[in-house]
Amino acid sequence: MFEARLGQATILKKILDAIKDLLNEGTFDCSDSGIQLQAMDNSHVSLVSLTLRSDGFDKFRCDRNLSMGMNLGSMAKILKCANNEDNVTMKAQDNADTVTIMFESANQEKVSDYEMKLMNLDQEHLGIPETDYSCVVRMPAMEFARICRDLAQFSESVVICCTKEGVKFSASGDVGTANIKLAQTGSVDKEEEAVIIDMQEPVTLTFACRYLNAFTKATPLSTQVQLSMCADVPLVVEYAIKDLGHIRYYLAPKIEDNET
Amino acid sequence: MSLQQALDDCLIDFDRRVLVTDLLEKYKLTYKEAHETLEAHIKEQERANTNKFEKRFLVHGMKANGDGELYTIVQGEDKLKEWLDKLQNSQSQLYSVEIAGGSKTAAPIFKPMQHVEVKLAKLEQRAGAATKPVANGVDHKPLNGNAVTTKPAGVKVEPTKATGSKLEPTNSTSSKVESTTSTEEQKKSSPTEQKGGKGKAAVAATKKGSINSFFSAAPAGKAQPPKETKPAAASKAASGSMENFLKKQPTSSESKKSPTESVKKELTAAANTSVQLFDDVESEASSDEEEKLDKLRRKVVGSGDESDDGGTKPTTSKRRRISDSEDEEQPQKKSTETQSKQQQQEEEKEAMDVDAAATNETFLDDDGFVITVRPKKQTQAAAAATKKKTSPTAAASSAPTTKKKSPPAAATKAGKLAKETPKTKQSNISSFFTKK
């Protein structure tokens, strides 16, 4: 028996919104520690890793480890039926082929439940090694989203250059060249507006704008985003989900094409 | 030539499938005439040579279960009878003839007629029919009972779409019934398809050309002011050589890839293009072979003063421009490199023609560039040389106007981009992680 209850459906809505553009389907691996989802996008360029800790749920029960393959588009549709303030409960029997998603209004007067068919997804799970990243940038999630959106107008690729002075996002294309430099903030009143750079050595990496923009769908989940970079290693874009877990996106860098 | 004559002269090769439609088209006959002539010939042949002919018939009729019309081509008279029995209101006509068993390459199974010319005697034209409907360049004749418009449909069952109304006239004179519906259908379908295609093209054309159709090309005098707004255009106006240089600059990266080719081209080309060659050769890591080529080129150019001067200075200016667009650390290095290279070139020049070198004056100008003045060539190329000397130096000077800087900078950036974009490729995420 699996049952997980969240106080606010809006969080789950945001989570689904954050991943459904990249992933059509995904397997939620439920265990007593929480819910995890790991999946590559269709083109196998990026990887999404979602972790929702069991202690972040209002109620969490997982008698046996359970993998629930779901069509994320369908799940997002169901979640749209919920009001933001509704309680949401996910339930599934052991070895069940359906999951029940139940929404309860705050005053308990309205209860709606939706049953969704589960899928048997044969997805590869990748082992993500512990990596010491050369540069870790923490910056406002909104700012990152804005930068990605703006630079996407110039090029398909964004060059992220991180030095001790700051982090520079560049894109150049037919239109012209765009450079956005963010310096490390000295002192800020609001923590969420801070740009903090933890740099071991300077890094310059190129990434596809398209994926970065897809990652920024998670912006509503967190005020801050963390970019972890290291040469020849995928970029990690991490959005913390307050008191619940995190969503991490891994994006393979664009590498030099030796063939041309 | 009549059909009968052609048959008598054995001009029709029955080793191949002979389509009646072809005969009708070629000899401008009515079906009846063609059919009778052909039948007579076949019978005669069969009697005389014991040759067997294989006939195919076009069968038209209504399906027994009321599924609509059916056109099909059947082989042999036995099958024809079967089909005629099967179909309601069935009709048949001879479609093709060939020698049985002796057929070589089969003629196309389905070959509709391309041209139909029928003159109908004693036929009054309707008022509405005065204007012939023309579609796709083919006149659509009004269908009449005695019209010979044999355009057989496909081999297989097709014309379920065919409109029954079109068949009505054909029923009037059953002896001369032709597969007119198929013609109609074809005429209907193909023009629409083509219309569709044309329509799209037309739409595209109108979309693209709509604004152009409203405005005529601006006169040359008026076209200039907008050019002036562009910095590149301003530099175009400066000099012809400069214009060439700017035009060629973006391609220089490409030409670098195949320096030998460009050198060959240069050798055959006029002197002004040697500017490019010089850039290319110079930009490459200097090897012995390249030096030889360089020397050879100088020989070919002959006097070389104009072109060389023109060559070296645009080169430096180009380099300067490129270096300007580079990171701040780069330019100084590059400028020193260019100077040293320029000096080398000058030395080479001097070595090449020692006699002339004796009279040369070499000095450093205000901008730090080595200038060699050869009084020998002053008579001919004085004006041109001074122009070329002044303009490149102006272009190359460290304080040049932003106008001149910007276009090459843009060009180099574009060049950079062009270089960057193909160089990177998207790697796969799974290559970074191990599978569990």
mmCIF file of all heavy atoms in Angstrom, chain B residues 66-95:
data_model
loop_
_atom_site.group_PDB
_atom_site.id
_atom_site.type_symbol
_atom_site.label_atom_id
_atom_site.label_comp_id
_atom_site.label_asym_id
_atom_site.label_seq_id
_atom_site.Cartn_x
_atom_site.Cartn_y
_atom_site.Cartn_z
ATOM 1 N N GLY B 66 -24.346 -2.767 -56.174
ATOM 2 C CA GLY B 66 -24.673 -1.340 -56.131
ATOM 3 C C GLY B 66 -23.603 -0.483 -55.508
ATOM 4 O O GLY B 66 -23.883 0.590 -54.974
ATOM 5 N N ASP B 67 -22.374 -0.962 -55.522
ATOM 6 C CA ASP B 67 -21.279 -0.199 -54.937
ATOM 7 C C ASP B 67 -20.792 0.927 -55.850
ATOM 8 O O ASP B 67 -19.853 1.637 -55.513
ATOM 9 C CB ASP B 67 -20.084 -1.122 -54.625
ATOM 10 C CG ASP B 67 -20.283 -1.797 -53.293
ATOM 11 O OD1 ASP B 67 -21.283 -1.482 -52.627
ATOM 12 O OD2 ASP B 67 -19.448 -2.641 -52.931
ATOM 13 N N GLY B 68 -21.366 1.021 -56.971
ATOM 14 C CA GLY B 68 -20.960 2.090 -57.874
ATOM 15 C C GLY B 68 -20.388 1.539 -59.168
ATOM 16 O O GLY B 68 -20.501 0.346 -59.470
ATOM 17 N N GLU B 69 -19.792 2.459 -59.895
ATOM 18 C CA GLU B 69 -19.279 2.083 -61.205
ATOM 19 C C GLU B 69 -17.959 1.354 -61.075
ATOM 20 O O GLU B 69 -17.248 1.491 -60.071
ATOM 21 C CB GLU B 69 -19.048 3.343 -62.031
ATOM 22 C CG GLU B 69 -20.323 4.021 -62.457
ATOM 23 C CD GLU B 69 -19.984 5.299 -63.183
ATOM 24 O OE1 GLU B 69 -19.363 6.174 -62.572
ATOM 25 O OE2 GLU B 69 -20.331 5.398 -64.367
ATOM 26 N N LEU B 70 -17.645 0.676 -62.139
ATOM 27 C CA LEU B 70 -16.370 -0.034 -62.154
ATOM 28 C C LEU B 70 -15.775 0.046 -63.543
ATOM 29 O O LEU B 70 -16.468 -0.158 -64.540
ATOM 30 C CB LEU B 70 -16.600 -1.504 -61.773
ATOM 31 C CG LEU B 70 -15.369 -2.393 -61.815
ATOM 32 C CD1 LEU B 70 -14.545 -2.176 -60.557
ATOM 33 C CD2 LEU B 70 -15.747 -3.852 -61.943
ATOM 34 N N TYR B 71 -14.565 0.412 -63.586
ATOM 35 C CA TYR B 71 -13.807 0.345 -64.834
ATOM 36 C C TYR B 71 -12.701 -0.658 -64.619
ATOM 37 O O TYR B 71 -12.010 -0.605 -63.610
ATOM 38 C CB TYR B 71 -13.172 1.700 -65.153
ATOM 39 C CG TYR B 71 -14.130 2.722 -65.682
ATOM 40 C CD1 TYR B 71 -14.822 3.553 -64.821
ATOM 41 C CD2 TYR B 71 -14.330 2.850 -67.050
ATOM 42 C CE1 TYR B 71 -15.701 4.500 -65.308
ATOM 43 C CE2 TYR B 71 -15.204 3.801 -67.543
ATOM 44 C CZ TYR B 71 -15.887 4.624 -66.666
ATOM 45 O OH TYR B 71 -16.748 5.554 -67.151
ATOM 46 N N THR B 72 -12.539 -1.507 -65.551
ATOM 47 C CA THR B 72 -11.412 -2.430 -65.427
ATOM 48 C C THR B 72 -10.976 -2.880 -66.811
ATOM 49 O O THR B 72 -11.717 -2.745 -67.789
ATOM 50 C CB THR B 72 -11.756 -3.629 -64.532
ATOM 51 O OG1 THR B 72 -10.577 -4.387 -64.317
ATOM 52 C CG2 THR B 72 -12.814 -4.520 -65.158
ATOM 53 N N ILE B 73 -9.785 -3.363 -66.856
ATOM 54 C CA ILE B 73 -9.271 -3.879 -68.124
ATOM 55 C C ILE B 73 -9.082 -5.370 -67.965
ATOM 56 O O ILE B 73 -8.419 -5.814 -67.007
ATOM 57 C CB ILE B 73 -7.964 -3.175 -68.508
ATOM 58 C CG1 ILE B 73 -8.290 -1.731 -68.877
ATOM 59 C CG2 ILE B 73 -7.291 -3.870 -69.674
ATOM 60 C CD1 ILE B 73 -7.118 -0.831 -68.973
ATOM 61 N N VAL B 74 -9.668 -6.105 -68.854
ATOM 62 C CA VAL B 74 -9.592 -7.564 -68.741
ATOM 63 C C VAL B 74 -8.887 -8.135 -69.964
ATOM 64 O O VAL B 74 -8.910 -7.545 -71.054
ATOM 65 C CB VAL B 74 -10.989 -8.207 -68.597
ATOM 66 C CG1 VAL B 74 -11.646 -7.752 -67.323
ATOM 67 C CG2 VAL B 74 -11.862 -7.889 -69.784
ATOM 68 N N GLN B 75 -8.287 -9.259 -69.746
ATOM 69 C CA GLN B 75 -7.498 -9.869 -70.820
ATOM 70 C C GLN B 75 -8.282 -11.043 -71.429
ATOM 71 O O GLN B 75 -8.717 -11.942 -70.714
ATOM 72 C CB GLN B 75 -6.169 -10.361 -70.244
ATOM 73 C CG GLN B 75 -5.233 -10.887 -71.293
ATOM 74 C CD GLN B 75 -3.992 -11.471 -70.668
ATOM 75 O OE1 GLN B 75 -3.616 -11.139 -69.569
ATOM 76 N NE2 GLN B 75 -3.364 -12.382 -71.397
ATOM 77 N N GLY B 76 -8.452 -10.992 -72.681
ATOM 78 C CA GLY B 76 -9.099 -12.086 -73.381
ATOM 79 C C GLY B 76 -10.614 -11.982 -73.402
ATOM 80 O O GLY B 76 -11.227 -11.328 -72.549
ATOM 81 N N GLU B 77 -11.180 -12.640 -74.393
ATOM 82 C CA GLU B 77 -12.624 -12.524 -74.564
ATOM 83 C C GLU B 77 -13.410 -13.339 -73.544
ATOM 84 O O GLU B 77 -14.545 -13.006 -73.209
ATOM 85 C CB GLU B 77 -12.994 -12.924 -75.995
ATOM 86 C CG GLU B 77 -12.646 -11.807 -76.964
ATOM 87 C CD GLU B 77 -12.649 -12.214 -78.410
ATOM 88 O OE1 GLU B 77 -12.801 -13.428 -78.681
ATOM 89 O OE2 GLU B 77 -12.473 -11.344 -79.262
ATOM 90 N N ASP B 78 -12.781 -14.413 -73.048
ATOM 91 C CA ASP B 78 -13.472 -15.225 -72.046
ATOM 92 C C ASP B 78 -13.727 -14.412 -70.778
ATOM 93 O O ASP B 78 -14.826 -14.408 -70.227
ATOM 94 C CB ASP B 78 -12.625 -16.461 -71.702
ATOM 95 C CG ASP B 78 -12.430 -17.341 -72.930
ATOM 96 O OD1 ASP B 78 -13.265 -17.222 -73.856
ATOM 97 O OD2 ASP B 78 -11.464 -18.114 -72.969
ATOM 98 N N LYS B 79 -12.651 -13.780 -70.378
ATOM 99 C CA LYS B 79 -12.780 -12.980 -69.155
ATOM 100 C C LYS B 79 -13.720 -11.807 -69.376
ATOM 101 O O LYS B 79 -14.421 -11.384 -68.467
ATOM 102 C CB LYS B 79 -11.410 -12.473 -68.713
ATOM 103 C CG LYS B 79 -10.618 -13.502 -67.968
ATOM 104 C CD LYS B 79 -9.554 -12.860 -67.112
ATOM 105 C CE LYS B 79 -8.910 -13.906 -66.218
ATOM 106 N NZ LYS B 79 -7.827 -13.324 -65.410
ATOM 107 N N LEU B 80 -13.685 -11.335 -70.592
ATOM 108 C CA LEU B 80 -14.560 -10.211 -70.920
ATOM 109 C C LEU B 80 -16.019 -10.593 -70.709
ATOM 110 O O LEU B 80 -16.787 -9.859 -70.091
ATOM 111 C CB LEU B 80 -14.317 -9.780 -72.367
ATOM 112 C CG LEU B 80 -15.274 -8.735 -72.927
ATOM 113 C CD1 LEU B 80 -15.096 -7.406 -72.200
ATOM 114 C CD2 LEU B 80 -15.045 -8.530 -74.411
ATOM 115 N N LYS B 81 -16.328 -11.793 -71.173
ATOM 116 C CA LYS B 81 -17.708 -12.264 -71.017
ATOM 117 C C LYS B 81 -18.073 -12.387 -69.543
ATOM 118 O O LYS B 81 -19.156 -11.992 -69.113
ATOM 119 C CB LYS B 81 -17.873 -13.625 -71.712
ATOM 120 C CG LYS B 81 -18.103 -13.470 -73.214
ATOM 121 C CD LYS B 81 -18.277 -14.819 -73.861
ATOM 122 C CE LYS B 81 -18.328 -14.650 -75.376
ATOM 123 N NZ LYS B 81 -18.330 -15.952 -76.070
ATOM 124 N N GLU B 82 -17.123 -12.937 -68.808
ATOM 125 C CA GLU B 82 -17.363 -13.092 -67.370
ATOM 126 C C GLU B 82 -17.702 -11.749 -66.736
ATOM 127 O O GLU B 82 -18.652 -11.607 -65.973
ATOM 128 C CB GLU B 82 -16.116 -13.645 -66.667
ATOM 129 C CG GLU B 82 -15.964 -15.142 -66.795
ATOM 130 C CD GLU B 82 -14.659 -15.604 -66.157
ATOM 131 O OE1 GLU B 82 -14.211 -14.985 -65.164
ATOM 132 O OE2 GLU B 82 -14.067 -16.585 -66.676
ATOM 133 N N TRP B 83 -16.895 -10.792 -67.077
ATOM 134 C CA TRP B 83 -17.065 -9.473 -66.479
ATOM 135 C C TRP B 83 -18.361 -8.819 -66.940
ATOM 136 O O TRP B 83 -19.040 -8.152 -66.161
ATOM 137 C CB TRP B 83 -15.879 -8.581 -66.832
ATOM 138 C CG TRP B 83 -14.739 -8.767 -65.882
ATOM 139 C CD1 TRP B 83 -13.678 -9.589 -66.043
ATOM 140 C CD2 TRP B 83 -14.588 -8.149 -64.617
ATOM 141 N NE1 TRP B 83 -12.862 -9.534 -64.960
ATOM 142 C CE2 TRP B 83 -13.399 -8.643 -64.051
ATOM 143 C CE3 TRP B 83 -15.346 -7.223 -63.881
ATOM 144 C CZ2 TRP B 83 -12.944 -8.249 -62.810
ATOM 145 C CZ3 TRP B 83 -14.886 -6.835 -62.653
ATOM 146 C CH2 TRP B 83 -13.691 -7.348 -62.113
ATOM 147 N N LEU B 84 -18.640 -9.027 -68.198
ATOM 148 C CA LEU B 84 -19.874 -8.421 -68.714
ATOM 149 C C LEU B 84 -21.091 -9.010 -68.015
ATOM 150 O O LEU B 84 -22.079 -8.323 -67.767
ATOM 151 C CB LEU B 84 -19.969 -8.623 -70.220
ATOM 152 C CG LEU B 84 -18.977 -7.803 -71.059
ATOM 153 C CD1 LEU B 84 -19.083 -8.159 -72.529
ATOM 154 C CD2 LEU B 84 -19.177 -6.308 -70.880
ATOM 155 N N ASP B 85 -20.972 -10.304 -67.698
ATOM 156 C CA ASP B 85 -22.074 -10.932 -66.968
ATOM 157 C C ASP B 85 -22.153 -10.419 -65.538
ATOM 158 O O ASP B 85 -23.231 -10.272 -64.954
ATOM 159 C CB ASP B 85 -21.888 -12.462 -66.970
ATOM 160 C CG ASP B 85 -22.024 -13.012 -68.389
ATOM 161 O OD1 ASP B 85 -22.611 -12.284 -69.232
ATOM 162 O OD2 ASP B 85 -21.529 -14.117 -68.671
ATOM 163 N N LYS B 86 -20.981 -10.201 -64.980
ATOM 164 C CA LYS B 86 -20.921 -9.779 -63.585
ATOM 165 C C LYS B 86 -21.528 -8.398 -63.370
ATOM 166 O O LYS B 86 -22.187 -8.142 -62.374
ATOM 167 C CB LYS B 86 -19.443 -9.709 -63.147
ATOM 168 C CG LYS B 86 -19.051 -10.748 -62.133
ATOM 169 C CD LYS B 86 -17.687 -10.438 -61.621
ATOM 170 C CE LYS B 86 -16.740 -11.592 -61.837
ATOM 171 N NZ LYS B 86 -15.391 -11.292 -61.353
ATOM 172 N N LEU B 87 -21.264 -7.536 -64.294
ATOM 173 C CA LEU B 87 -21.631 -6.131 -64.113
ATOM 174 C C LEU B 87 -22.990 -5.827 -64.739
ATOM 175 O O LEU B 87 -23.387 -6.463 -65.715
ATOM 176 C CB LEU B 87 -20.575 -5.218 -64.729
ATOM 177 C CG LEU B 87 -19.163 -5.358 -64.175
ATOM 178 C CD1 LEU B 87 -18.189 -4.560 -65.007
ATOM 179 C CD2 LEU B 87 -19.123 -4.897 -62.723
ATOM 180 N N GLN B 88 -23.614 -4.873 -64.155
ATOM 181 C CA GLN B 88 -24.886 -4.417 -64.715
ATOM 182 C C GLN B 88 -24.619 -3.267 -65.683
ATOM 183 O O GLN B 88 -23.718 -2.453 -65.458
ATOM 184 C CB GLN B 88 -25.787 -3.921 -63.591
ATOM 185 C CG GLN B 88 -26.214 -5.041 -62.660
ATOM 186 C CD GLN B 88 -26.935 -4.499 -61.438
ATOM 187 O OE1 GLN B 88 -26.991 -3.296 -61.226
ATOM 188 N NE2 GLN B 88 -27.486 -5.409 -60.664
ATOM 189 N N ASN B 89 -25.430 -3.193 -66.688
ATOM 190 C CA ASN B 89 -25.261 -2.151 -67.724
ATOM 191 C C ASN B 89 -23.832 -2.125 -68.247
ATOM 192 O O ASN B 89 -23.223 -1.066 -68.384
ATOM 193 C CB ASN B 89 -25.607 -0.764 -67.185
ATOM 194 C CG ASN B 89 -27.047 -0.686 -66.753
ATOM 195 O OD1 ASN B 89 -27.890 -1.366 -67.335
ATOM 196 N ND2 ASN B 89 -27.327 0.100 -65.739
ATOM 197 N N SER B 90 -23.303 -3.280 -68.446
ATOM 198 C CA SER B 90 -21.887 -3.348 -68.775
ATOM 199 C C SER B 90 -21.646 -3.033 -70.256
ATOM 200 O O SER B 90 -22.474 -3.317 -71.116
ATOM 201 C CB SER B 90 -21.345 -4.733 -68.444
ATOM 202 O OG SER B 90 -22.127 -5.697 -69.066
ATOM 203 N N GLN B 91 -20.511 -2.431 -70.482
ATOM 204 C CA GLN B 91 -20.072 -2.125 -71.838
ATOM 205 C C GLN B 91 -18.609 -2.493 -71.926
ATOM 206 O O GLN B 91 -17.912 -2.480 -70.913
ATOM 207 C CB GLN B 91 -20.198 -0.627 -72.124
ATOM 208 C CG GLN B 91 -21.553 -0.060 -71.848
ATOM 209 C CD GLN B 91 -21.473 1.380 -71.380
ATOM 210 O OE1 GLN B 91 -20.399 1.949 -71.296
ATOM 211 N NE2 GLN B 91 -22.621 1.952 -71.076
ATOM 212 N N SER B 92 -18.178 -2.743 -73.134
ATOM 213 C CA SER B 92 -16.761 -3.063 -73.280
ATOM 214 C C SER B 92 -16.249 -2.508 -74.594
ATOM 215 O O SER B 92 -17.002 -2.376 -75.562
ATOM 216 C CB SER B 92 -16.533 -4.564 -73.221
ATOM 217 O OG SER B 92 -17.020 -5.153 -74.396
ATOM 218 N N GLN B 93 -15.009 -2.193 -74.595
ATOM 219 C CA GLN B 93 -14.342 -1.743 -75.817
ATOM 220 C C GLN B 93 -12.953 -2.339 -75.858
ATOM 221 O O GLN B 93 -12.356 -2.622 -74.811
ATOM 222 C CB GLN B 93 -14.234 -0.210 -75.824
ATOM 223 C CG GLN B 93 -15.563 0.527 -75.843
ATOM 224 C CD GLN B 93 -16.384 0.269 -77.080
ATOM 225 O OE1 GLN B 93 -15.855 -0.067 -78.141
ATOM 226 N NE2 GLN B 93 -17.702 0.380 -76.963
ATOM 227 N N LEU B 94 -12.471 -2.475 -77.053
ATOM 228 C CA LEU B 94 -11.116 -2.992 -77.222
ATOM 229 C C LEU B 94 -10.142 -1.962 -76.674
ATOM 230 O O LEU B 94 -10.256 -0.767 -76.970
ATOM 231 C CB LEU B 94 -10.845 -3.237 -78.719
ATOM 232 C CG LEU B 94 -9.475 -3.829 -79.057
ATOM 233 C CD1 LEU B 94 -9.313 -5.223 -78.466
ATOM 234 C CD2 LEU B 94 -9.269 -3.854 -80.559
ATOM 235 N N TYR B 95 -9.210 -2.435 -75.917
ATOM 236 C CA TYR B 95 -8.275 -1.505 -75.301
ATOM 237 C C TYR B 95 -6.862 -1.644 -75.862
ATOM 238 O O TYR B 95 -6.229 -0.660 -76.235
ATOM 239 C CB TYR B 95 -8.246 -1.712 -73.780
ATOM 240 C CG TYR B 95 -7.238 -0.846 -73.097
ATOM 241 C CD1 TYR B 95 -7.365 0.542 -73.107
ATOM 242 C CD2 TYR B 95 -6.135 -1.403 -72.450
ATOM 243 C CE1 TYR B 95 -6.439 1.352 -72.487
ATOM 244 C CE2 TYR B 95 -5.200 -0.600 -71.832
ATOM 245 C CZ TYR B 95 -5.361 0.774 -71.862
ATOM 246 O OH TYR B 95 -4.439 1.575 -71.249
#
